[in-house]
Amino acid sequence: MSTATATPARTYSSYSAPLWKRWLVTRETAVIVLTAAVILYSLANVPNFDGPLTLKFLLQDIAPILLIALPMTLVIITGEIDLSVASIMGLSSVLLGVLHDAGMSVPAAALLALLAGLVCGALNGFLIAYVGLPSLAVTIGTLALFRGIAVGLLGTTAITDFTEKWADLATGTIGDSRIPLVMIPFAVLAVGFVVLLHFSTFGRGVYEIGLNDEAAHFTGVNVARTKMVLFLLSGVVSALAGIYFTLRYGSARGDNATGYELQVIAAVLLGGVSIFGGRGRLHGVLAGVVLIGVLSSALRLESVTVNVTNIIVGLLLVASVILPSVLGWAGSRLPRKASAAPAGPRPDKDAATADV
Amino acid sequence: MKIQKRSTALAAILLTATFAFAGCGSDSDDGGSASDGGSGGGGGDLSITMLPKNLGNAYFDTSTDGAEKAATEIGAEFEEVGPDTASPDAQVSYINTVAQQGKSALILSANDPDALCDAIDEARSADVKVVTFDADTNPDCRDLFINQATAEGIAAKQLELISDQIGGKGEIAILSASANATNQNAWIDMMESELADNPDYADIELVDTVYGDDEDQKSFDQTEALLQNHPDLKGIISPTTVGIAAAARYLSDSSSKGKVALTGLGTPNQMREYVEDGTVTSFALWNPGDLGYLATFAAAALVDGDITGAEGDSFDAGDLGTFEVGADGVVLLGEPFTFDADNIGDFDF
């Protein structure tokens, strides 16, 4: 964004606004406030939500989504998408199971499962970054491919006899607290991804690619390498989530985590990431994951059926995507001060996606 | 900035609406049994959650109806929850929720024998009694399993039905699922030895066993082949729901209709038209309604402390009578249920 672009269709941030406004009045803040409101409401009104088991179960349920949402956020900010993440989870789960069954220790099998995730990510990344194929098409293909291999390897059976201490590790908590152990690797990864996206040159390149990849290329961003790295990260983190999933449920199955890709993408979009790329922040995404998790947990405690839960989460998602656009359009219809539009000749379009 | 404020405001409205709606559900629970249900030593509030393999499944709808009837008779608070797909990880969330709610009992049909054990252990340590029905988990993780029928019972019932229908003598054949289906082969072995040993069946000869692989078309073709290869065939036993429906479809359009008897294991909805048009006289399965009814009484007996789930314990199950707990905490519903023209109209699954 250092040079004026020819097509100012999207702006990431209006740097003329005061700092506190840029930080506080954002979609991310809105999601966090909403999440906090839902948590406070649930604590006060939902029976047993304040019980001792809630936090543990909630964090265990959302852990795989939290993990995969980290690389997925970066992938979507570049304007790409990875639909194969849940299939990589299934494949790593099956590999862990089959290798453990063949006599390998859990850590060794897990290492190979992570490697498989890396290979899956490399295949996606190569086809997208270097061959130049659209990620939507490539990862729809690999979604089926990886799932097919997973189910093919193990059939419809499940491998369930994992060494007790590793299974206990996946369901255990930190000391006497209610925080599952899986939150430790998540926290480490989360810090890593925050630094990578928000405090590094690599991260600025991610945003530039999402805004305009040709312009990014001319400002010196290695577009292909950046995308390759992101798909590799997505593959390996998905495999990690698959290993956690397998040990937590004590069951390696080819159909494990089917449909999780949509849950991850829904949370990322709810968290304020633009599906067209170029905008979004990790704290918003993490709040989005927590929001969906808390809603599901509270609604289950209220005995609301899963279909209604899906409808509510779906409406929330659609609203979070539509509202800024509708309000932006409505805003542009009203007489406003000229300074309201930050840059570019078409304030209506700008307002649709620029939130600050 | 205005845009942002408005979108936040609208989001807040949406949220309020969402919870106003969700709040309706909570009122019914405010009776407050949930939190103290586990601590009561019996006679107190009884809250039971039923967790089938998935919702929207007619078979489980029938078992839930039975369970609900029993809950009304006992005076227990009853609720059915469940995932929309039959996967173990989806069931774990619901088992966790039951533990959080401190319900007195959980009745479930397990989507995986092992994967649910951790969650069930956690629920049991929160004082929830766990009864499985229809599909069991490992015996060590639940309190009781309500078994619909034993292999011996299934084999004996099918022979009894075919013998009645062919007048006790003639050639019969078996249309099974796949050649390596463990349960099918166990039933076939038992039927073979029963035919050889039981003098009542001395005039019945098993001439062929064929496999339709639980594929409709293949089972249909195998039925045709059976009739061609054995012109004197008097009856067919198909101990699989896919096979019996395909065989009935073939017979109903063939000249053998009414001459060759057909029985086996089927579901009322699949077999209704063939029972009504006279192709099939009677067939067997268990009654899922009774299964849910019995499971609920068993759960209540556990919560009240009438039984602990040990072998030899016995409890009363309303209309069904008294039941005894067998080895490994298994309670047997009884011999398979026979569906015929008189009762098929009462079932919808």
Side-chain angles (χ1 to χ4, degrees), chain A residues 284-342:
Chain A
V285 169
L286 300 183
V289 179
V290 173
L291 177 57
I292 293 181
V294 170
L295 267 179
S296 311
S297 170
L299 291 171
R300 262 202 311 275
L301 280 170
E302 289 278 16
S303 305
V304 174
T305 65
V306 62
N307 299 322
V308 176
T309 306
N310 287 342
I311 290 170
I312 290 171
V313 172
L315 283 177
L316 194 64
L317 182 63
V318 171
S320 80
V321 175
I322 287 179
L323 274 180
S325 302
V326 171
L327 293 167
W329 176 82
S332 73
R333 299 263 118 184
L334 298 170
R336 307 185 66 177
K337 281 190 286 182
S339 64

Side-chain angles (χ1 to χ4, degrees), chain A residues 6 37 60 88 111 120 169 173 178 210 218 247-248 267 283 285 300 307 320-321 331:
Chain A
Q60 280 183 343
I88 297 175
L111 212 61
C120 292
L169 207 61
T173 52
R178 313 267 179 226
F218 285 118
L247 292 176
R248 183 198 167 196
H283 62 280
V285 169
R300 262 202 311 275
N307 299 322
S320 80
V321 175

Side-chain angles (χ1 to χ4, degrees), chain A residues 87-179:
Chain A
S87 297
I88 297 175
M89 280 178 81
L91 183 57
S92 73
S93 168
V94 166
L95 281 174
L96 179 69
V98 168
L99 294 172
H100 184 62
D101 204 42
M104 209 176 264
S105 73
V106 168
L111 212 61
L112 285 176
L114 284 177
L115 194 69
L118 203 66
V119 171
C120 292
L123 177 65
N124 283 335
F126 174 73
L127 292 174
I128 293 157
Y130 294 106
V131 181
L133 299 173
S135 56
L136 187 70
V138 168
T139 57
I140 283 181
T142 53
L143 175 151
L145 175 69
F146 301 150
R147 184 67 74 188
I149 296 172
V151 175
L153 275 174
L154 198 52
T156 49
T157 55
I159 291 173
T160 50
D161 50 344
F162 291 96
T163 318
E164 194 102 341
K165 71 171 175 183
W166 293 104
D168 288 350
L169 207 61
T171 51
T173 52
I174 303 170
D176 289 335
S177 72
R178 313 267 179 226
I179 318 258

